[in-house]
C-alpha cells in the first residue's frame, strides 16, 4: 500500500509539470518557441533576398538607362544629318520637276549606301551594348530550298560583328534589304524619312534578298526573284531589335530574382519543417523524463513502464510538433512575435 500510495502522491505532484507541458496552453508555448525561431529565420532570409533583388534590379536599371541613352544619341545624330539630306532632296526634286535626273539619282544612291552603313553601325552597337540577350536576338534572314528562316549569328560571327562592324558567310554575302524599296520616294516623297532610315534595312543573305518567294505573301521579305519587284512593309527593324533586347534582358533578371525567391521560400519551408520536428523531439524528450520520474517506483515491470514512456513521449511529441508546423504554415501570431512591423511585413511577404 505504501508503494501505491507513494506512486499516487508522485503523480499528484507531477500534475503541475503536466499542466505546464501537456495542456493546450503548454503546447502553444512549445509551438510559439518554434514560431519565434521561424520568424527570425524568415526575416533574415527575406533580408538576404531583398538585398540580392535590389542588386539585380539596380544593375539592370543602370544598364537599361545607359543602353537607351546611347541608342537615342546615335539615332538623334543620324536623324539630324538625315534632316539636312531631306532638305537637299526636296530642293533637287523641286528643281527636276518631280522627274528622275542624274543628279537626283546619284544623291539618292549615295543616301542608300549611307543607310546601309548606318544599319550595320546599329547592328554593331547592339552587339557591343546589348548584353547577353543581343546574341539571342541578332541574326539574318536566309532563303534555302524554297523556305525562309531566321538564323542567329554564330559566336564567331558575333565577335566578327563587334570587331569589324559586318558579318560574312562562307560563299555568300549578307545584304541590307530595304523593306520599302528606295525607288518609291520619287513618286511618294512623303516616305523619305521612312525609306531612308536604318529601320528600313533588313539583313538578309544575297539569295534571300533576291529570290525569297515569300515576297508573294509578304512584300517586305525579299524581291521574289526580281529586284525590280516593289517591296513594302512596316519599317521597324532597328527599333524592334532594341525592344527585343530590352525585353529579354528584363526577363533574364526577373527569372533570376524569381529563382532566388523560390530558393528563399524553400529555405524557409525547410527550416520550418526542421523546427517543427525539433519541437516534437524536445517535447517528447521532456515527456520521457517526466514519465520516467513518475514511474520510478511503480511496481510494474520496466518493460511495461518503457512502453508507457515511449507511447506518452511519441503522442506528446507529435502533438507539439504538429501544432508547431500548423502554426508555422498558417503564420498565426500566437504571442507578441510578429507584432513588430518588420517581422510582420516579412511574414506577409512569405505567404504571398
Amino acid at each position: 500500500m505504501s508503494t501505491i500510495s507513494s506512486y499516487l502522491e508522485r503523480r499528484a505532484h507531477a500534475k503541475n509539470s503536466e499542466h505546464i507541458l501537456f495542456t493546450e496552453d503548454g503546447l502553444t508555448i512549445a509551438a510559439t518557441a518554434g514560431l519565434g525561431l521561424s520568424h527570425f529565420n524568415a526575416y533574415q532570409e527575406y533580408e538576404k533576398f531583398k538585398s540580392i533583388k535590389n542588386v539585380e534590379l539596380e544593375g539592370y536599371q543602370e544598364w537599361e538607362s545607359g543602353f537607351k541613352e546611347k541608342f537615342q544619341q546615335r539615332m538623334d545624330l543620324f536623324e539630324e544629318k538625315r534632316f539636312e539630306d531631306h532638305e537637299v532632296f526636296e530642293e533637287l526634286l523641286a528643281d527636276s520637276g518631280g522627274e528622275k535626273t542624274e543628279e537626283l539619282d546619284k544623291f539618292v544612291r549615295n543616301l542608300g549606301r549611307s543607310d546601309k552603313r548606318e544599319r550595320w553601325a546599329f547592328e554593331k552597337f547592339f552587339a557591343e551594348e546589348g548584353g547577353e540577350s543581343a546574341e539571342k536576338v541578332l541574326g539574318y534572314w536566309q532563303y534555302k530550298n524554297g523556305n525562309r528562316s531566321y538564323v542567329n549569328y554564330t559566336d564567331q560571327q558575333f565577335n566578327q560583328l563587334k570587331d569589324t562592324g559586318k558579318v560574312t558567310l562562307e560563299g555568300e554575302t549578307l545584304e541590307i534589304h530595304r523593306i520599302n524599296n528606295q525607288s518609291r520616294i520619287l513618286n511618294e516623297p512623303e516616305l523619305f524619312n521612312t525609306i531612308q532610315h536604318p529601320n528600313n534595312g533588313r539583313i538578309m543573305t544575297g539569295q534571300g534578298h533576291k529570290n525569297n518567294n515569300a515576297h508573294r505573301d509578304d512584300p517586305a521579305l525579299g524581291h521574289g526573284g526580281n529586284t525590280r519587284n516593289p517591296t513594302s512593309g512596316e519599317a521597324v527593324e532597328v527599333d524592334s531589335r532594341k525592344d527585343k533586347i530590352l525585353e529579354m534582358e528584363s526577363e533574364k533578371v526577373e527569372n533570376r530574382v524569381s529563382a532566388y525567391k523560390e530558393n528563399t521560400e524553400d529555405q524557409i519551408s525547410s527550416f520550418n519543417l526542421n523546427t517543427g520536428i525539433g519541437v516534437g523531439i524536445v517535447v517528447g524528450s521532456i515527456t520521457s523524463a517526466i514519465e520516467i520520474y513518475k514511474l520510478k517506483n511503480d511496481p510494474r515491470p520496466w518493460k511495461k513502464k518503457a512502453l508507457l514512456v515511449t507511447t506518452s513521449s511519441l503522442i506528446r511529441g507529435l502533438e507539439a510538433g504538429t501544432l508547431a508546423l500548423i502554426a508555422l504554415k498558417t503564420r498565426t501570431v500566437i504571442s507578441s512575435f510578429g507584432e513588430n512591423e518588420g517581422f510582420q511585413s516579412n511574414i506577409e511577404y512569405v505567404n504571398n
Side-chain angles (χ1 to χ4, degrees):
M1 290 294 296
S2 59
T3 302
I4 295 176
S5 177
S6 299
Y7 169 72
L8 293 175
E9 185 179 351
R10 285 194 299 276
R11 291 281 300 184
H13 288 304
K15 287 295 182 181
N16 291 329
S17 299
E18 286 182 302
H19 179 77
I20 293 176
L21 183 64
F22 299 145
T23 62
E24 194 172 304
D25 290 339
L27 291 175
T28 299
I29 291 172
T32 301
L35 189 61
L37 290 173
S38 173
H39 286 343
F40 181 70
N41 174 70
Y43 176 80
Q44 288 186 314
E45 291 292 340
Y46 172 71
E47 287 299 310
K48 287 192 293 184
F49 165 74
K50 187 169 67 174
S51 175
I52 290 178
K53 178 182 178 181
N54 288 340
V55 169
E56 289 282 355
L57 293 180
E58 288 172 4
Y60 171 74
Q61 289 166 357
E62 182 179 355
W63 170 84
E64 179 192 38
S65 176
F67 179 74
K68 286 182 175 180
E69 183 178 354
K70 292 175 184 176
F71 176 84
Q72 196 58 51
Q73 287 173 350
R74 293 189 62 85
M75 189 61 76
D76 288 344
L77 287 173
F78 166 79
E79 291 181 344
E80 182 180 342
K81 174 65 169 59
R82 192 43 46 92
F83 178 79
E84 298 173 1
D85 294 332
H86 192 193
E87 290 184 327
V88 175
F89 171 75
E90 289 184 326
E91 291 175 4
L92 291 174
L93 192 63
D95 292 342
S96 69
E99 298 294 327
K100 184 177 180 179
T101 64
E102 182 178 347
E103 185 178 10
L104 182 59
D105 182 59
K106 181 180 179 181
F107 180 76
V108 171
R109 282 190 282 109
N110 285 336
L111 285 181
R113 285 191 286 269
S114 173
D115 286 346
K116 291 178 180 181
R117 290 193 296 270
E118 287 291 340
R119 179 64 186 84
W120 277 115
F122 272 100
E123 196 79 349
K124 184 175 188 292
F125 165 79
F126 290 138
E128 292 174 334
E129 304 291 343
E132 296 176 2
S133 295
E135 298 182 47
K136 300 178 181 179
V137 171
L138 302 183
Y140 57 92
W141 287 94
Q142 68 175 4
Y143 181 76
K144 286 186 177 181
N145 303 321
N147 297 310
R148 67 184 177 93
S149 60
Y150 186 78
V151 182
N152 289 111
Y153 299 127
T154 64
D155 291 342
Q156 182 179 358
Q157 291 166 346
F158 191 82
N159 290 330
Q160 181 189 26
L161 176 61
K162 290 196 290 186
D163 293 338
T164 68
K166 279 195 176 183
V167 174
T168 57
L169 306 178
E170 288 187 20
E172 194 170 11
T173 60
L174 287 179
E175 299 178 359
I176 303 298
H177 162 64
R178 289 187 182 85
I179 297 171
N180 298 277
N181 56 299
Q182 193 176 35
S183 61
R184 294 175 60 187
I185 62 173
L186 293 177
N187 297 321
E188 301 173 90
E190 69 275 7
L191 294 180
F192 181 91
N193 290 325
T194 297
I195 292 174
Q196 306 299 160
H197 197 284
N199 263 326
N200 195 43
R202 177 168 288 159
I203 299 176
M204 305 181 75
T205 62
Q207 289 297 313
H209 182 199
K210 179 181 178 181
N211 298 318
N212 195 345
N213 288 332
H215 170 269
R216 290 192 296 267
D217 301 318
D218 185 351
L221 292 170
H223 292 275
N226 188 336
T227 54
R228 292 186 178 181
N229 286 336
T231 58
S232 61
E234 188 178 11
V236 292
E237 198 72 2
V238 170
D239 286 336
S240 176
R241 269 161 149 68
K242 178 200 69 174
D243 292 342
K244 286 180 181 177
I245 289 172
L246 287 168
E247 181 182 354
M248 291 187 71
E249 282 293 305
S250 176
E251 288 179 356
K252 186 176 68 175
V253 172
E254 288 176 3
N255 290 338
R256 284 203 299 262
V257 171
S258 178
Y260 191 78
K261 178 183 176 183
E262 290 180 7
N263 181 66
T264 299
E265 291 170 346
D266 289 343
Q267 293 286 344
I268 292 173
S269 296
S270 177
F271 183 88
N272 289 347
L273 177 61
N274 292 332
T275 299
I277 293 172
V279 168
I281 291 173
V282 169
V283 171
S285 299
I286 296 174
T287 301
S288 295
I290 292 176
E291 288 296 323
I292 290 172
Y293 171 76
K294 289 190 297 182
L295 298 171
K296 182 178 180 181
N297 296 318
D298 191 286
R300 287 174 290 182
W302 268 108
K303 187 175 182 179
K304 290 185 176 181
K305 291 192 288 185
L307 180 61
L308 289 172
V309 171
T310 302
T311 302
S312 181
S313 300
L314 286 174
I315 291 174
R316 295 308 183 186
L318 285 172
E319 286 178 350
T322 301
L323 183 58
L325 287 172
I326 291 174
L328 295 173
K329 181 67 177 175
T330 60
R331 288 311 206 208
T332 302
V333 180
I334 297 176
S335 65
S336 60
F337 289 104
E339 292 178 0
N340 176 278
E341 183 179 355
F343 278 104
Q344 191 62 41
S345 63
N346 295 317
I347 296 308
E348 291 173 354
Y349 160 76
V350 172
N351 281 331
N352 289 335

